[in-house]
Amino acid sequence: RGASEAGGLSVGLGIELPFEQGINDWVDLAIDFRYFFARKTMFVKYAQAFVVLPGGFGTMDELFEALTLVQTGKVTRFPVVLMGTGYWRGLLDWLRDTMAADGKIGPVDLELICLTDDVDAAVRHIVAAEAALSAEQEAVRGESVARTAADQRAAADESREG
């Protein structure tokens, strides 16, 4: 609804299930999937951020799939925002107090998640994460250009000496 009301394109990725609610009325472009893995691939492939609302097993499946892919570097890093502190607090406490405490995940992994009730705070987090990622990518590009230039100079020096 938010994307639609803001004048953006609202894309809905549905799944063929007997009890699924279906695509909502605010979606401009609907794509239905038969298999979960294909739907999750599309969620993650084009994501710039994940904003997760309270949900059930499917929501948890998609949340942890996204976190795992970001954590392991299999996809470009993107922010994950959990909306609803009352709903998600227990899960985050468990992740910190059980999984991280037992060494199953690293404390840095918890930094992949932003928990809030404030839409403006969620937007600020996403914008800041995008800016940080862009700066990192620009630095990597700069290093690559510098390395290529140095390699070319070294090759030119070798050819003059040879």
Side-chain angles (χ1 to χ4, degrees), residues 34-106:
R34 181 169 185 170
Y35 301 106
F36 283 105
F37 76 90
R39 182 174 182 250
K40 287 192 295 186
T41 298
M42 296 309 289
F43 268 138
V44 173
K45 182 172 177 59
Y46 297 104
Q48 290 177 285
F50 260 39
V51 178
V52 187
L53 303 175
F57 286 140
T59 299
M60 292 296 186
D61 178 48
E62 292 161 0
L63 168 63
F64 283 106
E65 178 85 15
L67 288 171
T68 301
L69 292 170
V70 171
Q71 174 204 43
T72 59
K74 295 298 182 186
V75 297
T76 302
R77 189 174 69 244
F78 53 79
V80 176
V81 178
L82 302 181
M83 295 297 296
T85 56
Y87 187 82
W88 297 107
R89 174 59 59 205
L91 175 64
L92 290 181
D93 290 346
W94 182 78
L95 291 174
R96 182 190 63 245
D97 298 341
T98 302
M99 290 184 80
D102 289 350
K104 306 300 184 207
I105 61 173

Side-chain angles (χ1 to χ4, degrees), residues 106-114 125:
V108 71
D109 294 332
L110 296 172
E111 295 174 14
L112 297 172
I113 303 167
C114 171
H125 178 74

Side-chain angles (χ1 to χ4, degrees), residues 10 24 37 75 88 102 126-127 138 140 153:
S10 176
N24 71 50
F37 76 90
V75 297
W88 297 107
D102 289 350
I126 291 167
V127 169
E138 187 58 37
V140 168
R153 281 191 303 273

